[in-house]
Amino acid sequence: MSRWEFVGRTDELNRLLAAVTGEAGRGLFFSGSAGIGKSRLLREGVNALPTDRFAIWSIAASATTAALPFGGLVQVLPAEQPQGLSPAGILRWALNLLQQQAAGRRIVLAIDDAHLLDPPSAALVHLVARAENATVLGTLRDGEQIPLPIRALWTDDLVEHVELTPMPPEETAGLLAAILEGPVDAGSADRLGQLSAGNPLLLRELVHAATGSAELKRTYGIWKWTGRLELAPSLTDLIDTRVGKLTDGVRAVVELVAFGEPLGLHLLKQAADQADVETAEERGLISVIQHDRRTNVRLAHPLYGEVMRRRCPVSRTRRLQAHLAELLEQVGKRRRDDLLRVAVWRLDSGTAQDPAMLLDAAVQAFTRYDVPLATRLARAALNADGGSDAAELLATILMFADRPEEAIGVLDAVPPEPGDERRLCRWLTVRGMVSYWGLSRQSTVDELASRVKQLGDSADQSRVHAFEAIMRLHGLDTTKAVRLSQRVLDRPAAGVAARELARSTIAYVQAAQGQLNRSGTAIAQVHSAAGSWRTDMPYLQLALELARGTRLMLTGDLAGIDAIVADEFADLAGAGDFRLGTGYLAILQAYAARMRGQSDAAMRTSLGACAVLATSRVYAGLAQAERTQSAALRGDSAQATAAMAEADRTHAPGMAVLYPWLEQARGAALATSGDLPGAVKHLGDLVDRLRSDGFAGHEVHVLHDLVRLDQAGMPVGPTCSDGGRRTVAQRLAELSERVDGALPPLLARHAHAAVTDSATDLLAVADDYAALELTVFAAEATSQAVQRLRRQHSPAANDARERLAGLLGRCDLIRTPALQAGAPVLTEREWQVARLAAHGAPSRAIAERLYLSARTVENHLQRIYAKLGVTGRAELWAALRSIPGHDGGDAG
Ligand SMILES: Nc1ncnc2c1ncn2[C@@H]1O[C@H](COP(=O)(O)OP(=O)(O)OP(=O)(O)O)[C@@H](O)[C@H]1O
Ligand SMILES: [Mg+2]
């Protein structure tokens, strides 16, 4: 009774097929309890799809593959994955591959038990679901924890999510007949159907339990069950009993599969008796599946594995896992994944003794950014006498898991032998990294500088210098940082990783100084060399990302930010627990949202960044600064102040180079809290500091912050030779010649228009901001124009106000000083009257609604017109909508 025909479930099957063949091709996921029939339904659905139109991949995730990065997708991905790709790069590569193989057909990816997918596989499934020409189908068991990228499938509306309900009685009767291969007496079918509560697996196990006993008999071809159960036994109890009755040989087969699935048939045959394998298959406990050129064995149902693993005593479990590892080692590891499988079995069975193998596996897990697994493997390698290689790898991984103290302990236990320079070089850099960024010990830099002298080899020296340089940069000693980096680049002997690290340092400095073009070229170069440095120095990615992100923010290139965020899947790659990377991308994302006036998204994303980075000393302050800005944008001064205090508390002195962002945020927090003089003074001082540090790229933005506070005419900087000081507007004009990109001249025009009170120019500047999606700046420049036109009693004010209303309509709630400054203040009563009037209610109706006299309403309206600077009702609607935080409101 291993396989019987498919019964019922017509609606569900049609729905599944429609999900794939329908116009939208939006996928479908079935949830349901164990044994309810999800996997079978999915299989039947997929088998019914025409393969000439659809390229179909079916995947069954399992408890054993969940432990391996990309374990869930071994059936889909080729054995050899390219080296040197970032996690997002691997995902993109995999998607391209599927698309190639699909050759124009629509991709259908069917994932059984998607809750058991390992994080990178789950991320890939999400990516496929997003692709234009793909549909994702799947099943999930109720009550299990679901990986985030899978849950996001339906929250992002990429798939429909449906609960698979128990089978109705007429279908269980049909199913029973199919299982028993013959008609069943109606009363028996009824009772068994009720006991099973519409669960096919339970029904099958009930029949199994009764088979061979006198309770289940066939008379004149009709099956009759005379059992006397009142309550259905639980599904697991039934399976438990069945498994308990297996012969030793058959049990051994099922156990091996339970711990090793998917297991090659050739392996299983080496470990078990052929006859026992066949019996297990006949009894419907395991199934043999042909895939590509391999024949794999899996459990017929995941519950068998769960019961089996639970019944297996610890000592036996370990013996089995060690046995599986030996088997795979003997036949030779064919796929790269085999290495990880063997390593995990060795770990779990307590037989991890081969340090080289463990180290290899740890590197593989780390380059796939599976931090938890990489940690376990590297530690095991160290414990197996893996020596300093293992110690360095473990320390690096621990540092990225925010456990720097442990990392230092690991390194200090294996100091390099005197005279071993290569070792000393590695040890110094890894220890330096942990100590500087992990433990915030600034003395690290000088220690490193003095010990590099012990190295004779030029390549070794370069590597240490490249590290020293980026530490100096982060500690704000930019001159030395650039000098050292240049030295590394000038040395032919320097290795690739050292050179590219040095180049990233220089690229950062160039961006901060406003040489955004040269910075961009350098960044592109580091990026294109990634294949040559990623295995040697995976964390170089962070230096690259920081340089790239800083440059994009300073350029105001929101589309560029969108591109890298989409590229790296900020939220999904986070599945691998590489927090610094994902946290930093979230900061960039929040910044882009903020510039566009999407204050809800900015708030949400910056809070997310704060949460991810809470335990890191590297970017925590930066994340809080971004949250401060988001709160300030919304006029939430309490949160802005609180976030700024958090920024100060968490900001590491070793990341001093980030000060412009923190201080800019402080200015915003002060302004939002109403302390405009304080904000202006603070930003003025900041301009001076940036000027003396040579950070022109940052300076233009802070000068512009002063323009936004209507201080374009304020003097800044030192006294010039002519005895006077430059104004904000003049300084911006000066810098727009030196700082690359389209933004600085625009900022300078904004300042000039503000100083000269030219509403026309302010409106033109606003248009240019809007074209760059810098919507907040656009709205503020327009608001400044409205204020000037009102002062001049110009009839053009009305049109400008319309434009302001249009811009604010594109934003979530935003309340900045520039927008507030020109906003009239209405009383509660005036608001009520104004809203109703703006919606076209005549004065009499307003009077009735508000229980006022018509004359009072008229008086209110006159006062409102005066405050808003409008001449009558016709202009009221736009005038109300141009007040930040109010969309005109509904009439109520
Ligand atoms: N409509 C059906 N017709 C015939 N057999 C069915 C049907 N639905 C389920 N079965 C059989 O019942 C058993 C349990 O179903 P299935 O494996 O699909 O359950 P499941 O919901 O996937 O459970 P789990 O959550 O434990 O994976 C299987 O042997 C399956 O072949
Ligand atoms: Mg299933």
Side-chain angles (χ1 to χ4, degrees):
M1 86 170 131
S2 58
R3 194 51 83 71
W4 55 89
E5 70 192 67
F6 186 64
V7 178
R9 298 286 197 207
T10 327
D11 291 347
E12 289 90 345
L13 197 57
N14 287 338
R15 194 156 176 184
L16 196 71
L17 295 177
V20 181
T21 54
E23 287 269 301
R26 189 156 153 262
L28 179 62
F29 267 65
F30 281 110
S31 279
S33 53
I36 204 77
K38 306 176 292 292
S39 304
R40 182 70 189 264
L41 176 61
L42 183 65
R43 203 162 54 230
E44 297 292 330
V46 165
N47 287 343
L49 290 171
T51 47
D52 55 338
R53 282 177 53 209
F54 300 103
I56 305 162
W57 281 271
S58 288
I59 294 157
S62 72
T64 51
T65 58
L68 304 173
F70 285 115
L73 293 177
V74 278
Q75 299 126 297
V76 168
L77 299 178
E80 291 306 321
Q81 286 166 23
Q83 297 272 5
L85 291 180
S86 70
I90 295 188
L91 296 183
R92 267 195 308 279
W93 161 81
L95 178 62
N96 284 340
L97 209 85
L98 295 188
Q99 267 159 348
Q100 271 169 30
Q101 291 179 23
R105 292 169 299 170
R106 188 171 189 85
I107 294 176
V108 178
L109 193 58
I111 308 110
D112 194 16
D113 291 330
H115 55 277
L116 291 174
L117 282 178
D118 59 284
S121 294
L124 179 58
V125 169
H126 190 101
L127 183 61
V128 172
R130 284 194 170 193
E132 280 284 312
N133 61 335
T135 306
V136 173
L137 306 171
T139 71
L140 294 162
R141 190 189 284 173
D142 282 347
E144 302 289 336
Q145 198 159 354
I146 299 171
L148 270 180
I150 298 299
R151 185 180 293 283
L153 287 177
W154 56 92
T155 47
D156 291 358
D157 219 24
L158 297 165
V159 305
E160 245 185 297
H161 183 208
V162 177
E163 181 78 16
L164 188 61
T165 49
M167 287 183 122
E170 56 289 3
E171 290 187 5
T172 51
L175 186 58
L176 203 53
I179 298 175
L180 289 166
E181 294 172 357
V184 185
D185 142 77
S188 305
D190 204 34
R191 285 196 302 135
L192 280 168
Q194 271 183 24
L195 280 172
S196 75
N199 183 308
L201 187 64
L202 184 48
L203 193 64
R204 165 189 175 161
E205 292 297 327
L206 282 167
V207 172
H208 234 298
T211 309
S213 76
E215 289 175 357
L216 189 62
K217 279 260 166 60
R218 196 170 194 178
T219 344
Y220 300 112
I222 310 269
W223 286 100
K224 191 174 174 74
W225 181 61
T226 53
R228 298 197 167 277
L229 292 178
E230 291 296 322
L231 283 174
S234 87
L235 186 50
T236 43
D237 285 350
L238 273 180
I239 294 175
D240 203 53
T241 316
R242 173 140 83 107
V243 162
K245 288 184 194 150
L246 298 176
T247 64
D248 288 351
V250 177
R251 173 165 332 109
V253 170
V254 183
E255 275 174 348
L256 280 168
V257 181
F259 287 102
E261 75 172 334
L263 197 60
L265 184 60
H266 62 292
L267 278 189
L268 186 58
K269 280 185 176 160
Q270 292 200 1
D273 194 47
Q274 171 85 19
D276 290 327
V277 176
E278 279 165 17
T279 312
E281 197 188 355
E282 276 160 20
R283 300 247 176 106
L285 291 162
I286 59 171
S287 33
V288 179
I289 298 159
Q290 191 72 31
H291 178 77
D292 275 348
R293 261 156 292 133
R294 278 169 305 150
T295 314
N296 278 330
V297 182
R298 307 191 67 115
L299 291 168
H301 200 278
L303 271 182
Y304 301 154
E306 282 154 45
V307 169
M308 214 68 203
R309 287 190 291 267
R310 206 176 46 219
R311 284 175 66 99
C312 201
V314 177
S315 56
R316 184 165 170 76
T317 300
R318 294 184 159 206
R319 263 207 313 284
L320 276 163
Q321 286 165 328
H323 190 40
L324 283 164
E326 268 158 38
L327 281 171
L328 198 50
E329 277 167 348
Q330 273 164 20
V331 298
K333 301 181 275 267
R334 296 195 194 168
R335 305 170 55 106
R336 273 159 56 76
D337 286 294
D338 287 345
L339 169 64
L340 279 177
R341 298 189 84 192
V342 168
V344 171
W345 280 326
R346 288 288 179 209
L347 274 184
D348 290 348
S349 63
T351 56
Q353 276 128 9
D354 177 357
M357 185 272 288
L358 291 165
L359 203 58
D360 240 16
V363 170
Q364 210 179 102
F366 191 44
T367 43
R368 292 176 183 194
Y369 297 89
D370 187 334
V371 175
L373 179 59
T375 311
R376 282 184 72 202
L377 289 165
R379 194 181 294 284
L382 185 64
N383 292 342
D385 289 330
S388 43
D389 278 344
E392 277 157 25
L393 183 63
L394 178 59
T396 307
I397 300 169
L398 282 171
M399 135 115 198
F400 283 101
D402 293 331
R403 290 151 69 180
E405 281 90 1
E406 272 177 83
I408 288 283
V410 165
L411 286 169
D412 286 350
V414 285
E417 302 282 325
D420 187 348
E421 290 195 7
R422 174 98 343 128
R423 178 93 298 131
L424 177 64
C425 162
R426 295 273 162 164
W427 189 84
L428 280 178
T429 50
V430 175
R431 196 178 185 291
M433 178 170 75
V434 176
S435 161
Y436 189 85
W437 286 286
L439 296 175
S440 301
R441 283 196 200 135
Q442 281 171 283
S443 56
T444 315
V445 199
D446 291 328
E447 282 161 33
L448 211 58
S450 78
R451 295 198 63 177
V452 71
K453 300 186 188 103
Q454 298 171 347
L455 298 170
D457 180 78
S458 174
D460 289 342
Q461 281 173 5
S462 295
R463 195 174 171 102
V464 178
H465 277 148
F467 269 89
E468 185 192 336
I470 190 163
M471 285 174 199
R472 298 236 179 251
L473 165 68
H474 287 181
L476 203 54
D477 186 349
T478 36
T479 318
K480 253 197 194 141
V482 171
R483 203 179 327 125
L484 274 168
S485 300
Q486 202 52 58
R487 225 161 100 191
V488 173
L489 288 175
D490 289 343
R491 268 200 212 150
V496 180
R499 302 176 74 82
E500 300 309 319
L501 181 57
R503 209 188 307 280
S504 306
T505 301
I506 291 179
Y508 185 99
V509 176
Q510 286 169 335
Q513 292 176 340
Q515 301 172 43
L516 298 158
N517 297 340
R518 291 172 67 184
S519 170
T521 311
I523 288 164
Q525 224 165 321
V526 181
H527 188 69
S528 66
S532 321
W533 53 252
R534 196 176 307 279
T535 318
D536 182 17
M537 207 186 269
Y539 36 87
L540 205 162
Q541 180 78 27
L542 292 174
L544 169 62
E545 229 137 67
L546 183 62
R548 187 160 61 164
T550 305
R551 176 180 171 276
L552 288 170
M553 291 202 278
L554 293 177
T555 316
D557 182 355
L558 306 190
I561 293 178
D562 291 349
I564 67 165
V565 168
D567 219 34
E568 301 293 336
F569 312 104
D571 43 353
L572 300 177
D577 213 11
F578 203 60
R579 289 178 237 169
L580 286 180
T582 47
Y584 185 67
L585 287 177
I587 294 175
L588 291 184
Q589 210 177 352
Y591 174 88
R594 169 160 69 85
M595 290 293 141
R596 292 184 167 114
Q598 297 164 351
S599 65
D600 294 349
M603 197 69 238
R604 203 174 344 105
T605 321
S606 60
L607 270 171
C610 290
V612 171
L613 295 167
T615 51
S616 131
R617 303 231 45 200
V618 182
Y619 296 142
L622 189 65
Q624 294 291 354
E626 190 51 48
R627 176 161 82 100
T628 306
Q629 289 277 17
S630 301
L633 179 62
R634 300 169 68 89
D636 181 349
S637 95
Q639 180 166 191
T641 310
M644 197 60 226
E646 274 299 286
D648 287 331
R649 195 179 63 76
T650 52
H651 183 53
M655 292 305 290
V657 74
L658 299 176
Y659 83 84
W661 302 113
L662 270 90
E663 296 314 319
Q664 230 187 325
R666 195 184 314 283
L670 283 169
T672 300
S673 71
D675 182 5
L676 285 180
V680 170
K681 164 89 174 60
H682 175 76
L683 293 170
D685 293 346
L686 180 54
V687 166
D688 291 345
R689 183 171 173 197
L690 290 168
R691 181 188 194 131
S692 75
D693 283 339
F695 288 166
H698 284 287
E699 191 188 338
V700 289
H701 286 272
V702 179
L703 287 164
H704 181 243
D705 279 351
L706 286 165
V707 177
R708 297 170 64 198
L709 295 176
D710 237 337
Q711 301 295 321
M714 168 183 147
V716 282
T719 312
C720 301
S721 48
D722 60 11
R725 291 172 75 199
R726 299 269 179 272
T727 63
V728 167
Q730 287 166 334
R731 176 69 180 157
L732 264 174
E734 205 173 281
L735 286 181
S736 69
E737 318 245 304
R738 288 191 3 223
V739 177
D740 296 333
L743 192 58
L746 185 52
L747 302 177
R749 270 172 54 211
H750 184 178
H752 185 259
V755 181
T756 54
D757 276 333
S758 166
T760 322
D761 289 352
L762 282 169
L763 290 173
V765 166
D767 283 344
D768 290 350
Y769 281 140
L772 296 171
E773 290 191 80
L774 300 169
T775 321
V776 174
F777 293 173
E780 289 181 341
T782 310
S783 167
Q784 290 173 337
V786 171
Q787 289 165 51
R788 281 161 178 80
L789 290 168
R790 263 220 321 256
R791 274 205 302 269
Q792 296 155 12
H793 298 288
S794 160
N798 208 33
D799 175 51
R801 221 171 3 233
E802 286 277 359
R803 289 162 73 166
L804 178 54
L807 287 165
L808 290 174
R810 284 188 228 161
C811 303
D812 302 326
L813 169 65
I814 59 172
R815 273 201 189 117
T816 66
L819 294 168
Q820 298 283 85
V825 182
L826 300 187
T827 64
E828 192 64 26
R829 180 58 98 197
E830 284 165 352
W831 264 111
Q832 288 175 320
V833 173
R835 279 201 196 104
L836 288 165
H839 277 83
S843 299
R844 259 226 330 275
I846 299 175
E848 267 171 34
R849 176 94 179 252
L850 300 179
Y851 305 104
L852 298 172
S853 75
R855 223 193 42 194
T856 312
V857 170
E858 266 315 311
N859 287 341
H860 275 309
L861 277 173
Q862 291 311 321
R863 247 193 327 271
I864 293 164
Y865 295 160
K867 281 188 181 178
L868 297 179
V870 300
T871 53
R873 266 170 206 257
E875 296 162 19
L876 204 48
W877 172 245
L880 288 182
R881 283 207 308 152
S882 67
I883 302 177
H886 300 280
D887 52 7
D890 50 31

